[in-house]
Amino acid sequence: MISAICPTYNEKLCIEIIINFFLKAKPLDKELLIIDGGSTDGTESIVEKYASTYPQIKLLHNPNKYVPFALNIGIKNCSGDPIIRLDAHTTYAENYFEKIIETFQQTDADIVGGPMRAVGKSSFQSAVAFVTSTSFGIGDSKIHNPDYTGESDHVYLGAWKRSLFDEIGFFDEKLFRNQDDEFHYRAKSFGKKVYLNSEIISYYSPRSEWSKLFSQYFQYGLFKPLVLRKIKSEIKLRHLIPSSFFLYLVIIFISSNSFYENIPLFIYLLLNFYFSFRNNLSLLEKFKCLIVYPTIHLSYGIGFIIGLFKR
């Protein structure tokens, strides 16, 4: 039997899609644990309705609200192996579970998962989806490459062998963000195998508003130093460039800088223009890319600098 665990909070518009996917997907021998953080929109009532009909669906409560608490509650209360994480804002291929099981069998990995495929409904979301799939947007991260298959430092969401938690512990409940990064990095530091398979297909919906996107990447940056402080072996250049770029902008803003000191900024603007317009997006989406690139770079960079002082 496999176990799927799904943290939720006010997911009234999404939760039935997740449940119906679970019920239709193979294998038949499976359970779904939905761990709710105190929803006020009727999410729990919807889950309870399904749970009364399908005994393999269970509703658990997360009084601490945040994701790492929900994941640990789900892991400690489920019965299957492997344990597969689901996200309420993600849609999944019909063979999602089957491909995960197949990947475990073929690779003998401890953690498997697919890439983070972002798709947008609005022009802003489409711009975010494109930006976060480019090297200029997020560096050399394998998780954002939809064609990569092989060992990785991270996978989207993730599926885990049950024995893994006995060996390396559970999710770090101090990390309200990036707890999955830290857990996968930690597993790798213990010599565990993390395998990313491009045939494990799911689609994630990016943030739909500029302010929400800024907040999301600010929080990613804010908690990343805590992760890297714990797992120093996973420090990558892509983690450090956004904060360095932000500090550079502050310096040239407050100083009487020369033409040569502005060259890195000119190069950045040229790269921003090049990646924003050399693609198959609509004209409106291209212009929104011009805003999205600096948004994720600067919000992450600012968060990372503040996170360096966070305990």
mmCIF file of all heavy atoms in Angstrom, residues 11 39 50 55 59 69 86 101 126 138-141 152 162 181 193 198 203 213 215 218 221 223 226 236 244 264 273:
data_model
loop_
_atom_site.group_PDB
_atom_site.id
_atom_site.type_symbol
_atom_site.label_atom_id
_atom_site.label_comp_id
_atom_site.label_asym_id
_atom_site.label_seq_id
_atom_site.Cartn_x
_atom_site.Cartn_y
_atom_site.Cartn_z
ATOM 1 N N GLU A 11 -8.619 25.344 1.206
ATOM 2 C CA GLU A 11 -8.470 24.820 -0.158
ATOM 3 C C GLU A 11 -9.812 24.358 -0.730
ATOM 4 O O GLU A 11 -9.893 23.378 -1.466
ATOM 5 C CB GLU A 11 -7.463 23.658 -0.170
ATOM 6 C CG GLU A 11 -6.115 23.971 0.414
ATOM 7 C CD GLU A 11 -5.351 25.030 -0.366
ATOM 8 O OE1 GLU A 11 -5.844 25.457 -1.421
ATOM 9 O OE2 GLU A 11 -4.268 25.432 0.089
ATOM 10 N N SER A 39 -8.812 25.290 8.452
ATOM 11 C CA SER A 39 -9.502 26.012 7.372
ATOM 12 C C SER A 39 -10.808 26.617 7.856
ATOM 13 O O SER A 39 -11.518 26.039 8.696
ATOM 14 C CB SER A 39 -9.785 25.069 6.204
ATOM 15 O OG SER A 39 -8.600 24.646 5.577
ATOM 16 N N TYR A 50 -16.274 13.103 1.921
ATOM 17 C CA TYR A 50 -15.631 12.010 1.188
ATOM 18 C C TYR A 50 -15.176 10.905 2.140
ATOM 19 O O TYR A 50 -15.270 9.716 1.818
ATOM 20 C CB TYR A 50 -14.441 12.542 0.382
ATOM 21 C CG TYR A 50 -14.837 13.184 -0.927
ATOM 22 C CD1 TYR A 50 -15.061 14.557 -1.004
ATOM 23 C CD2 TYR A 50 -14.982 12.434 -2.079
ATOM 24 C CE1 TYR A 50 -15.420 15.164 -2.196
ATOM 25 C CE2 TYR A 50 -15.332 13.013 -3.276
ATOM 26 C CZ TYR A 50 -15.559 14.385 -3.329
ATOM 27 O OH TYR A 50 -15.921 14.971 -4.529
ATOM 28 N N PRO A 55 -13.310 4.943 3.163
ATOM 29 C CA PRO A 55 -12.521 4.767 4.397
ATOM 30 C C PRO A 55 -11.025 4.985 4.203
ATOM 31 O O PRO A 55 -10.304 5.199 5.180
ATOM 32 C CB PRO A 55 -12.825 3.314 4.799
ATOM 33 C CG PRO A 55 -13.313 2.649 3.546
ATOM 34 C CD PRO A 55 -14.011 3.702 2.765
ATOM 35 N N LEU A 59 -9.129 12.552 7.507
ATOM 36 C CA LEU A 59 -8.889 13.955 7.832
ATOM 37 C C LEU A 59 -8.180 14.046 9.173
ATOM 38 O O LEU A 59 -8.661 13.532 10.182
ATOM 39 C CB LEU A 59 -10.206 14.732 7.891
ATOM 40 C CG LEU A 59 -10.099 16.195 8.363
ATOM 41 C CD1 LEU A 59 -9.286 17.025 7.367
ATOM 42 C CD2 LEU A 59 -11.485 16.799 8.568
ATOM 43 N N PHE A 69 4.741 20.933 10.132
ATOM 44 C CA PHE A 69 3.969 20.232 11.159
ATOM 45 C C PHE A 69 3.000 19.258 10.498
ATOM 46 O O PHE A 69 2.837 18.115 10.942
ATOM 47 C CB PHE A 69 3.192 21.228 12.022
ATOM 48 C CG PHE A 69 4.062 22.136 12.841
ATOM 49 C CD1 PHE A 69 4.345 23.426 12.402
ATOM 50 C CD2 PHE A 69 4.592 21.716 14.046
ATOM 51 C CE1 PHE A 69 5.139 24.271 13.159
ATOM 52 C CE2 PHE A 69 5.385 22.558 14.815
ATOM 53 C CZ PHE A 69 5.672 23.837 14.360
ATOM 54 N N LEU A 86 1.386 15.235 -1.642
ATOM 55 C CA LEU A 86 0.573 15.942 -2.627
ATOM 56 C C LEU A 86 0.420 17.398 -2.195
ATOM 57 O O LEU A 86 0.480 17.710 -1.006
ATOM 58 C CB LEU A 86 -0.808 15.306 -2.759
ATOM 59 C CG LEU A 86 -0.870 13.859 -3.271
ATOM 60 C CD1 LEU A 86 -2.315 13.394 -3.335
ATOM 61 C CD2 LEU A 86 -0.200 13.729 -4.633
ATOM 62 N N ILE A 101 6.238 4.701 -8.123
ATOM 63 C CA ILE A 101 6.542 3.326 -7.726
ATOM 64 C C ILE A 101 7.557 2.697 -8.672
ATOM 65 O O ILE A 101 8.527 2.044 -8.239
ATOM 66 C CB ILE A 101 5.249 2.487 -7.682
ATOM 67 C CG1 ILE A 101 4.317 3.019 -6.591
ATOM 68 C CG2 ILE A 101 5.563 1.012 -7.440
ATOM 69 C CD1 ILE A 101 2.919 2.435 -6.639
ATOM 70 N N SER A 126 1.780 33.020 -16.574
ATOM 71 C CA SER A 126 2.557 32.448 -17.684
ATOM 72 C C SER A 126 3.966 33.023 -17.708
ATOM 73 O O SER A 126 4.935 32.305 -17.982
ATOM 74 C CB SER A 126 1.857 32.725 -19.015
ATOM 75 O OG SER A 126 0.611 32.062 -19.078
ATOM 76 N N ILE A 138 16.544 31.176 -12.440
ATOM 77 C CA ILE A 138 16.766 30.398 -11.210
ATOM 78 C C ILE A 138 18.101 29.634 -11.216
ATOM 79 O O ILE A 138 18.319 28.780 -10.353
ATOM 80 C CB ILE A 138 15.605 29.411 -10.953
ATOM 81 C CG1 ILE A 138 15.150 28.681 -12.232
ATOM 82 C CG2 ILE A 138 14.402 30.134 -10.384
ATOM 83 C CD1 ILE A 138 15.987 27.571 -12.652
ATOM 84 N N GLY A 139 18.962 29.895 -12.173
ATOM 85 C CA GLY A 139 20.273 29.254 -12.172
ATOM 86 C C GLY A 139 20.219 27.843 -12.725
ATOM 87 O O GLY A 139 19.408 27.531 -13.599
ATOM 88 N N ASP A 140 21.076 26.976 -12.199
ATOM 89 C CA ASP A 140 21.238 25.632 -12.759
ATOM 90 C C ASP A 140 20.453 24.577 -11.984
ATOM 91 O O ASP A 140 20.799 23.401 -11.996
ATOM 92 C CB ASP A 140 22.724 25.252 -12.777
ATOM 93 C CG ASP A 140 23.323 25.214 -11.376
ATOM 94 O OD1 ASP A 140 22.690 25.729 -10.437
ATOM 95 O OD2 ASP A 140 24.442 24.675 -11.221
ATOM 96 N N SER A 141 19.378 24.974 -11.318
ATOM 97 C CA SER A 141 18.597 24.041 -10.504
ATOM 98 C C SER A 141 17.945 22.982 -11.385
ATOM 99 O O SER A 141 17.164 23.283 -12.287
ATOM 100 C CB SER A 141 17.520 24.810 -9.735
ATOM 101 O OG SER A 141 16.723 23.929 -8.988
ATOM 102 N N SER A 152 19.713 13.990 -8.215
ATOM 103 C CA SER A 152 19.514 15.418 -7.997
ATOM 104 C C SER A 152 19.677 15.720 -6.512
ATOM 105 O O SER A 152 19.765 14.814 -5.675
ATOM 106 C CB SER A 152 18.111 15.806 -8.483
ATOM 107 O OG SER A 152 17.836 17.166 -8.220
ATOM 108 N N ARG A 162 9.621 4.818 3.642
ATOM 109 C CA ARG A 162 9.245 4.980 5.048
ATOM 110 C C ARG A 162 10.449 4.877 5.981
ATOM 111 O O ARG A 162 10.553 5.604 6.984
ATOM 112 C CB ARG A 162 8.191 3.930 5.419
ATOM 113 C CG ARG A 162 7.866 3.844 6.889
ATOM 114 C CD ARG A 162 6.700 2.925 7.156
ATOM 115 N NE ARG A 162 5.457 3.531 6.722
ATOM 116 C CZ ARG A 162 4.783 4.432 7.443
ATOM 117 N NH1 ARG A 162 5.250 4.829 8.618
ATOM 118 N NH2 ARG A 162 3.663 4.934 7.006
ATOM 119 N N ASP A 181 13.433 21.471 0.953
ATOM 120 C CA ASP A 181 14.836 21.611 0.535
ATOM 121 C C ASP A 181 15.757 21.008 1.591
ATOM 122 O O ASP A 181 16.639 20.204 1.296
ATOM 123 C CB ASP A 181 15.214 23.090 0.360
ATOM 124 C CG ASP A 181 14.514 23.756 -0.804
ATOM 125 O OD1 ASP A 181 13.499 23.215 -1.276
ATOM 126 O OD2 ASP A 181 14.982 24.815 -1.238
ATOM 127 N N LYS A 193 20.015 8.475 -1.727
ATOM 128 C CA LYS A 193 19.893 8.743 -3.156
ATOM 129 C C LYS A 193 18.592 9.485 -3.449
ATOM 130 O O LYS A 193 17.503 9.008 -3.127
ATOM 131 C CB LYS A 193 19.938 7.423 -3.939
ATOM 132 C CG LYS A 193 19.978 7.578 -5.454
ATOM 133 C CD LYS A 193 20.144 6.200 -6.103
ATOM 134 C CE LYS A 193 20.232 6.286 -7.615
ATOM 135 N NZ LYS A 193 20.416 4.942 -8.220
ATOM 136 N N SER A 198 11.825 12.795 -15.072
ATOM 137 C CA SER A 198 10.992 13.713 -15.852
ATOM 138 C C SER A 198 9.661 13.092 -16.251
ATOM 139 O O SER A 198 8.743 13.797 -16.685
ATOM 140 C CB SER A 198 11.747 14.161 -17.109
ATOM 141 O OG SER A 198 12.057 13.056 -17.935
ATOM 142 N N TYR A 203 1.727 19.543 -12.546
ATOM 143 C CA TYR A 203 1.730 20.935 -12.976
ATOM 144 C C TYR A 203 1.326 21.837 -11.818
ATOM 145 O O TYR A 203 0.289 21.642 -11.190
ATOM 146 C CB TYR A 203 0.770 21.133 -14.157
ATOM 147 C CG TYR A 203 1.144 20.326 -15.372
ATOM 148 C CD1 TYR A 203 0.562 19.087 -15.603
ATOM 149 C CD2 TYR A 203 2.099 20.792 -16.267
ATOM 150 C CE1 TYR A 203 0.917 18.329 -16.715
ATOM 151 C CE2 TYR A 203 2.462 20.042 -17.380
ATOM 152 C CZ TYR A 203 1.870 18.825 -17.601
ATOM 153 O OH TYR A 203 2.226 18.064 -18.703
ATOM 154 N N LEU A 213 3.988 37.029 -5.369
ATOM 155 C CA LEU A 213 5.239 36.485 -5.895
ATOM 156 C C LEU A 213 6.430 37.036 -5.110
ATOM 157 O O LEU A 213 7.342 36.283 -4.745
ATOM 158 C CB LEU A 213 5.384 36.838 -7.379
ATOM 159 C CG LEU A 213 6.654 36.328 -8.057
ATOM 160 C CD1 LEU A 213 6.633 34.812 -8.188
ATOM 161 C CD2 LEU A 213 6.819 36.972 -9.440
ATOM 162 N N SER A 215 6.445 38.144 -2.032
ATOM 163 C CA SER A 215 6.422 37.538 -0.698
ATOM 164 C C SER A 215 6.935 36.108 -0.734
ATOM 165 O O SER A 215 7.692 35.686 0.156
ATOM 166 C CB SER A 215 4.998 37.583 -0.142
ATOM 167 O OG SER A 215 4.920 36.924 1.100
ATOM 168 N N PHE A 218 10.718 36.183 -1.294
ATOM 169 C CA PHE A 218 11.344 36.764 -0.106
ATOM 170 C C PHE A 218 11.456 35.694 0.980
ATOM 171 O O PHE A 218 12.504 35.557 1.626
ATOM 172 C CB PHE A 218 10.522 37.951 0.395
ATOM 173 C CG PHE A 218 11.011 38.496 1.708
ATOM 174 C CD1 PHE A 218 12.066 39.392 1.756
ATOM 175 C CD2 PHE A 218 10.414 38.109 2.904
ATOM 176 C CE1 PHE A 218 12.531 39.887 2.975
ATOM 177 C CE2 PHE A 218 10.869 38.589 4.120
ATOM 178 C CZ PHE A 218 11.927 39.485 4.157
ATOM 179 N N GLY A 221 14.125 33.149 0.199
ATOM 180 C CA GLY A 221 15.439 33.692 0.539
ATOM 181 C C GLY A 221 15.651 33.766 2.032
ATOM 182 O O GLY A 221 16.738 33.476 2.543
ATOM 183 N N PHE A 223 14.558 31.910 4.511
ATOM 184 C CA PHE A 223 14.822 30.648 5.200
ATOM 185 C C PHE A 223 15.992 29.857 4.601
ATOM 186 O O PHE A 223 16.449 28.892 5.207
ATOM 187 C CB PHE A 223 13.555 29.783 5.213
ATOM 188 C CG PHE A 223 12.542 30.234 6.226
ATOM 189 C CD1 PHE A 223 11.535 31.115 5.881
ATOM 190 C CD2 PHE A 223 12.620 29.796 7.535
ATOM 191 C CE1 PHE A 223 10.607 31.538 6.808
ATOM 192 C CE2 PHE A 223 11.697 30.212 8.480
ATOM 193 C CZ PHE A 223 10.687 31.096 8.121
ATOM 194 N N LEU A 226 19.164 29.450 6.797
ATOM 195 C CA LEU A 226 18.989 28.476 7.876
ATOM 196 C C LEU A 226 19.212 27.063 7.367
ATOM 197 O O LEU A 226 19.798 26.220 8.055
ATOM 198 C CB LEU A 226 17.582 28.598 8.470
ATOM 199 C CG LEU A 226 17.235 29.932 9.137
ATOM 200 C CD1 LEU A 226 15.789 29.918 9.629
ATOM 201 C CD2 LEU A 226 18.169 30.210 10.301
ATOM 202 N N LYS A 236 25.348 26.554 -3.032
ATOM 203 C CA LYS A 236 25.598 26.699 -4.463
ATOM 204 C C LYS A 236 25.720 28.180 -4.819
ATOM 205 O O LYS A 236 25.203 29.053 -4.111
ATOM 206 C CB LYS A 236 24.443 26.090 -5.274
ATOM 207 C CG LYS A 236 24.157 24.614 -4.987
ATOM 208 C CD LYS A 236 25.226 23.704 -5.544
ATOM 209 C CE LYS A 236 24.776 22.254 -5.613
ATOM 210 N NZ LYS A 236 24.262 21.695 -4.350
ATOM 211 N N SER A 244 24.047 39.126 -3.549
ATOM 212 C CA SER A 244 25.212 39.902 -3.980
ATOM 213 C C SER A 244 24.793 40.998 -4.944
ATOM 214 O O SER A 244 25.289 42.136 -4.889
ATOM 215 C CB SER A 244 26.237 38.982 -4.655
ATOM 216 O OG SER A 244 26.671 37.973 -3.775
ATOM 217 N N PRO A 264 28.012 46.086 -14.631
ATOM 218 C CA PRO A 264 27.211 44.909 -14.255
ATOM 219 C C PRO A 264 25.702 45.150 -14.342
ATOM 220 O O PRO A 264 24.951 44.256 -14.746
ATOM 221 C CB PRO A 264 27.646 44.640 -12.817
ATOM 222 C CG PRO A 264 29.027 45.191 -12.732
ATOM 223 C CD PRO A 264 29.003 46.418 -13.584
ATOM 224 N N PHE A 273 16.305 41.797 -20.769
ATOM 225 C CA PHE A 273 15.604 42.066 -22.028
ATOM 226 C C PHE A 273 15.707 40.870 -22.973
ATOM 227 O O PHE A 273 14.723 40.480 -23.603
ATOM 228 C CB PHE A 273 16.202 43.312 -22.689
ATOM 229 C CG PHE A 273 15.426 43.792 -23.879
ATOM 230 C CD1 PHE A 273 14.341 44.648 -23.722
ATOM 231 C CD2 PHE A 273 15.761 43.375 -25.163
ATOM 232 C CE1 PHE A 273 13.612 45.080 -24.827
ATOM 233 C CE2 PHE A 273 15.039 43.803 -26.265
ATOM 234 C CZ PHE A 273 13.953 44.654 -26.096
#
